[in-house]
Amino acid sequence: MSATVNRRRLPVVGQLLGNGTAMVIAIYVLLLIIYALSQNDALSMTQFSDQLNNGLPLALAAAGGTLVVLMRGFDLSVAGVIALTDVLTATQATDGPMGALVMMLIVVGVGLLVGAVNGFLVAYVGLQSIACTLATMIVCSGAALLILDAPGGDVPEFISDNLTGSVGGIPVPLIIVLVVLCGWAALKRTNWGVGLYAVGADETAAQLAGVRVRRVKFLAYCLAGGLYGLAGMMLTAVTSNGDPGAGTSYLLLVFAAIAIGGTTFTGGRGGLLGSMIGAATLMLLQKVLFSVGVSSFFTGIGQGLIMIAAVLIAASSARISRRMAA
């Protein structure tokens, strides 16, 4: 009887150990406990909203990058799109709900356009993803400098106040996260979503199975670009200004969040939820280090160590889960 129960439990334990999302949640909870022990108001609603606001731009960018990494690609244009949409919001947005809505459509449209260029060059022309997305990153960064050559701009109060505020007691950033995750949950069940994982796992096999590989890649880059654009607008709302160099600091953090969240760079495994929690973990780490008196100069080192630990734990757990399932 005992042996039977163990056989039933082993797959569940194995699934948890091999689940990157479960691992990053465990790391986040551990950091939150440390933060709560060192900061009295760490679990207050104010701190929760503050973490959501600060982490949302990175979470959205990491979600977009995950779509590309899942099919074994790289997208460096994230830095350029964030910079471009950040300065566009800071210089072109008008006040009021309609102004915010129009600006959101514009930044998402810019992201989709850049993503479409990337997707066309990678999927239909056959260029390397690193090369062409590096080129579009440079183009977008240059365009951002043409629009705003130094940090500044005039961000409408409606954007800076309402996109970082709450509706009915629910923080707006949390609503945006839930909308993105619900959209991802629906997309995963479509032929495109299934094809995305199939292309990442084995592109040749996916093509032989009838997956429209080029179309899957093209749409992945487009959706990623749209999320980058939204991340740029949220960054403007949080900082209340525009900065043509704002995207640079996000480039490495996006890939760190994806790795911490359990999405493998060999493709076919992972998801947006893990990457968004990975982004939250990186932002929380900054607060934890500050609260325990560690200099901000060590933040990068801490983030790198967390990333290494997460990747090692995920790799070890995956081996254990495979053995337990065998």
Side-chain angles (χ1 to χ4, degrees):
M1 179 67 178
S2 175
T4 303
V5 172
N6 286 336
R7 279 196 299 270
R8 288 176 180 173
R9 287 179 177 174
L10 285 178
V12 176
V13 176
Q15 287 175 11
L16 289 175
L17 287 173
N19 189 332
T21 303
M23 287 294 110
V24 74
I25 289 175
I27 294 173
Y28 184 85
V29 171
L30 177 62
L31 288 174
L32 191 60
I33 291 172
I34 297 173
Y35 189 45
L37 292 174
S38 59
Q39 188 80 20
N40 292 331
D41 62 343
L43 301 180
S44 66
M45 192 62 190
T46 302
Q47 283 286 337
F48 179 62
S49 297
D50 187 42
Q51 290 179 35
L52 279 171
N53 287 330
N54 291 331
L56 185 59
L58 179 59
L60 290 171
T66 303
L67 296 174
V68 178
V69 172
L70 277 174
M71 57 176 190
R72 214 178 292 189
F74 279 93
D75 191 350
L76 303 179
S77 68
V78 56
V81 175
I82 287 178
L84 180 57
T85 52
D86 180 46
V87 299
L88 277 173
T89 306
T91 57
Q92 307 299 321
T94 56
D95 208 358
M98 187 55 67
L101 178 61
V102 170
M103 199 65 236
M104 187 173 292
L105 293 175
I106 290 174
V107 297
V108 171
V110 169
L112 286 171
L113 178 61
V114 176
V117 172
N118 289 332
F120 176 77
L121 293 175
V122 173
Y124 293 99
V125 181
L127 298 182
Q128 292 182 345
S129 59
I130 290 180
C132 63
T133 58
L134 175 62
T136 50
M137 180 190 77
I138 295 171
V139 171
C140 290
S141 299
L145 278 170
L146 289 175
I147 296 171
L148 189 67
D149 58 5
D154 185 18
V155 182
E157 288 185 1
F158 185 89
I159 290 179
S160 58
D161 291 346
N162 289 277
L163 291 185
T164 58
S166 62
V167 176
I170 303 174
V172 172
L174 180 60
I175 295 173
I176 295 174
V177 168
L178 293 176
V179 168
V180 171
L181 290 177
C182 288
W184 168 239
L187 279 174
K188 277 178 68 177
R189 288 164 174 76
T190 64
N191 290 336
W192 176 81
V194 175
L196 186 70
Y197 281 92
V199 171
D202 189 331
E203 183 174 332
T204 304
Q207 195 157 20
L208 291 173
V211 174
R212 298 171 67 181
V213 174
R214 290 180 173 177
R215 180 173 174 270
V216 167
K217 287 185 176 181
F218 180 77
L219 289 178
Y221 279 101
C222 289
L223 291 175
L227 286 170
Y228 301 157
L230 196 56
M233 183 175 180
M234 287 308 304
L235 178 62
T236 315
V238 172
T239 60
S240 296
N241 74 349
D243 183 354
T248 306
S249 60
Y250 278 84
L251 184 58
L252 295 181
L253 287 178
V254 164
F255 290 104
I258 292 171
I260 292 173
T263 297
T264 63
F265 289 94
T266 53
R269 185 178 174 186
L272 269 62
L273 176 60
S275 298
M276 296 182 88
I277 299 176
T281 302
L282 289 173
M283 301 308 293
L284 178 59
L285 177 63
Q286 294 181 9
K287 288 183 172 293
V288 170
L289 292 177
F290 181 78
S291 66
V292 297
V294 177
S295 168
S296 59
F297 294 111
F298 290 91
T299 301
I301 297 174
Q303 289 172 337
L305 292 176
I306 288 284
M307 179 178 171
I308 293 172
V311 172
L312 283 175
I313 292 172
S316 301
S317 301
R319 291 195 197 97
I320 295 172
S321 66
R322 284 196 295 269
R323 289 176 186 173
M324 296 174 76

